[in-house]
Amino acid sequence: MSPPPREPQSSEPLLLSYPRHQADTEDETAYDSDEKVHVVGIDDNDDDENGLTSLPFSWKKLWLFTGPGFLMSIAFLDPGNLEGDLQSGAIAGYSLLWLLMWATAMGLLVQLLSARLGVATGRHLAELCREEYPNWARYVLWVMAEMALIGADIQEVIGSAIAIKILSNGYLPLWAGVVITACDCFIFLFLENYGVRKLEAVFAFLIATMAISFAWMFGETKPNGVELLLGLLIPRLSSKTIKQAVGVVGCIIMPHNVFLHSALVQSREIDHSKKSRVQEALKYYSIESTIALMVSFAINLFVTTVFAKAFYGTKEADSVGLVNAGQYLQEKYGGGVLPILYIWAIGLLAAGQSSTITGTYAGQFIMGGFLNLKLKKWLRALITRSCAIIPTMIVALLFDTNEDSLDVLNEWLNVLQSIQIPFALIPLLFLVSKKQLMGVFTIGPVLKIVASLVTGLVMVINGYLLIDFFTSEVTGTLLSTLISTFTAAYVGFIIYLVSRGVNIPNWSNWLKKSNTIPASDTS
């Protein structure tokens, strides 16, 4: 949980950029004013005129602020994460549970920074990137974010389609499951018409379904409690499990989720003119995000330990994946009141359906924020959905009967998302560190150092994944040349983002104003 911001000096404004944002009434926004949840007490006069009074804790307010964190936590539970969990358990046993725990903690820090940015500025990450970077860099960041989203969405839709195929006893092929899953955008639009809280209730139901399903599996397989505890408390890593370790960390930080959370927190009505109200929102969002990720960690723990108990050290360990995992469990543990194959499929379906809907949600914010598009929600959802469904349908038709090809595809999609991570984390880190933007809610030096270390660590780990993947998969002079060229451009753009973060003011805007504003006013 982030430390409280320092108290402002009397002459220091709460948010240096906030009045300008309020004036931009024509800009695309995450939520219209009539869509936001009204928080009890927001209009009460229980703080002083400067808004500096610390407000008492209220369970009722925590309940009203609860929602965005659980929608955000869905990305920690999508089919891609579940596949990483089961492969980690099957190949590494209980030995990487400690890494899963600390990776979730790193993910929580990143998401708290994202929420802080959204609450303090009243704008989300994609909107702020549009303002802070020149057009060419903004479009590159947008394309990268869209690619990450499409890659994640393909995994999520395929995961749902696999679950539908299992539950229909193979009657519905993958492509039919893709079509069914594609229709969830219309369900999403229908739910949005009834308000944010109704949509959040549906996600709470889906998360509860996952928790019950995978807890049931945990009870059926009875993993070793002592080994589980040792796996959490004692760090262990070997050369044989390094790939799974990288996968555990790589699956936790999802680029589109960083953009998503900074927008979701704007669904609550907050008085930005009072520091106490902004602090209050940050406090409640920190609590509910922490609880949400504790739930997601428990679910990931259930999946990892189930497959550690079932397949660690067996001949099936290297071949288990989303497609055959349920069947392998069924062969090993059989029926019961409800066959474990269907328990697995129900949990997988809940994960896939919930993550595809949040993917649609994130796509709307990313497209609207970067391009400042004021489109009707149904049209934005349709565009966002089509970007993922069309390639997913092609994938489903090509790989319907080829499990090995689906596993290779999943590796490529993980690499695609790993490539995008710096383009979400670097802008986020430098924006929450920017005094001109965050005012008194700028992160302090200690939190900045910790966040920088986490960002650097995640980038190094994913860099290892990329190098390992390309050295083993890329062959041929032409392809190697293309990859080398892309790598040079990729590293160059990261260096640009980092260097711009060191001196982040928008110099092009400053130069435009310098002809009309006296030098003494621009300092």
Side-chain angles (χ1 to χ4, degrees), residues 11-25 27 116-124 127-132 272-273 278 430-442 504-506 509 513:
S11 61
E12 186 177 21
L14 181 63
L15 287 173
L16 297 176
S17 58
Y18 185 71
R20 176 172 61 85
H21 293 334
Q22 286 291 85
D24 294 338
T25 55
D27 282 356
R116 188 186 191 92
L117 181 70
V119 171
T121 65
R123 297 168 77 79
H124 59 80
E127 292 176 296
L128 293 169
C129 286
R130 184 183 76 233
E131 293 183 355
E132 295 295 332
H272 285 81
S273 66
V278 180
F430 290 127
L431 286 171
V432 295
S433 304
K434 185 182 178 184
K435 184 70 174 177
Q436 294 90 335
L437 178 70
M438 298 289 289
V440 300
F441 296 102
T442 307
I504 202 166
N506 192 324
N509 290 342
K513 295 177 182 178

Side-chain angles (χ1 to χ4, degrees), residues 178-198:
V178 170
V179 172
I180 293 172
T181 305
C183 295
D184 66 19
C185 85
F186 299 105
I187 299 173
F188 158 73
L189 290 171
F190 176 76
L191 292 172
E192 259 203 321
N193 291 331
Y194 288 89
V196 172
R197 297 293 277 175
K198 301 293 191 301

Side-chain angles (χ1 to χ4, degrees), residues 387-404:
C387 290
I389 291 301
I390 292 173
T392 305
M393 184 64 75
I394 295 172
V395 166
L397 292 171
L398 290 177
F399 302 120
D400 189 23
T401 59
N402 195 329
E403 296 178 7
D404 292 337

Side-chain angles (χ1 to χ4, degrees), residues 98-115:
W98 66 275
L99 188 59
L100 175 63
M101 179 176 67
W102 285 107
T104 304
M106 289 192 294
L108 174 61
L109 174 61
V110 170
Q111 296 304 148
L112 290 180
L113 291 179
S114 176

Side-chain angles (χ1 to χ4, degrees), residues 54-249:
S54 178
L55 301 176
F57 179 82
S58 166
W59 287 103
K60 188 172 185 179
K61 285 187 181 179
L62 176 60
W63 170 248
L64 290 173
F65 275 106
T66 297
F70 282 89
L71 266 69
M72 167 274 294
S73 71
I74 293 294
F76 290 69
L77 298 168
D78 69 3
N81 275 279
L82 298 183
E83 182 156 28
D85 291 338
L86 66 88
Q87 290 177 344
S88 171
I91 296 173
Y94 301 90
S95 66
L96 296 181
L97 293 180
W98 66 275
L99 188 59
L100 175 63
M101 179 176 67
W102 285 107
T104 304
M106 289 192 294
L108 174 61
L109 174 61
V110 170
Q111 296 304 148
L112 290 180
L113 291 179
S114 176
R116 188 186 191 92
L117 181 70
V119 171
T121 65
R123 297 168 77 79
H124 59 80
L125 180 57
E127 292 176 296
L128 293 169
C129 286
R130 184 183 76 233
E131 293 183 355
E132 295 295 332
Y133 294 98
N135 285 339
W136 72 269
R138 168 165 62 99
Y139 287 126
V140 172
L141 288 172
W142 171 61
V143 170
M144 291 297 185
E146 290 287 359
M147 289 176 63
L149 180 60
I150 291 171
D153 217 3
I154 290 175
Q155 288 180 313
E156 292 155 1
V157 173
I158 290 293
S160 289
I162 291 171
I164 291 170
K165 184 176 181 179
I166 294 172
L167 291 172
S168 67
N169 287 320
Y171 179 76
L172 294 175
L174 278 186
W175 66 265
V178 170
V179 172
I180 293 172
T181 305
C183 295
D184 66 19
C185 85
F186 299 105
I187 299 173
F188 158 73
L189 290 171
F190 176 76
L191 292 172
E192 259 203 321
N193 291 331
Y194 288 89
V196 172
R197 297 293 277 175
K198 301 293 191 301
L199 184 65
E200 291 169 352
V202 171
F203 280 99
F205 171 76
L206 292 171
I207 292 173
T209 301
M210 281 186 272
I212 293 171
S213 298
F214 296 130
W216 192 332
M217 287 173 50
F218 184 88
E220 289 283 331
T221 56
K222 298 179 175 62
N224 188 304
V226 174
E227 287 291 331
L228 189 158
L229 189 61
L230 292 175
L232 286 172
L233 299 179
I234 302 176
R236 288 178 288 174
L237 188 64
S238 69
S239 58
K240 295 180 180 179
T241 60
I242 188 69
K243 186 175 181 180
Q244 283 67 44
V246 170
V248 167
V249 178

Side-chain angles (χ1 to χ4, degrees), residues 438-456:
M438 298 289 289
V440 300
F441 296 102
T442 307
I443 60 174
V446 175
L447 184 56
K448 185 175 181 179
I449 291 172
V450 173
S452 299
L453 290 174
V454 168
T455 300

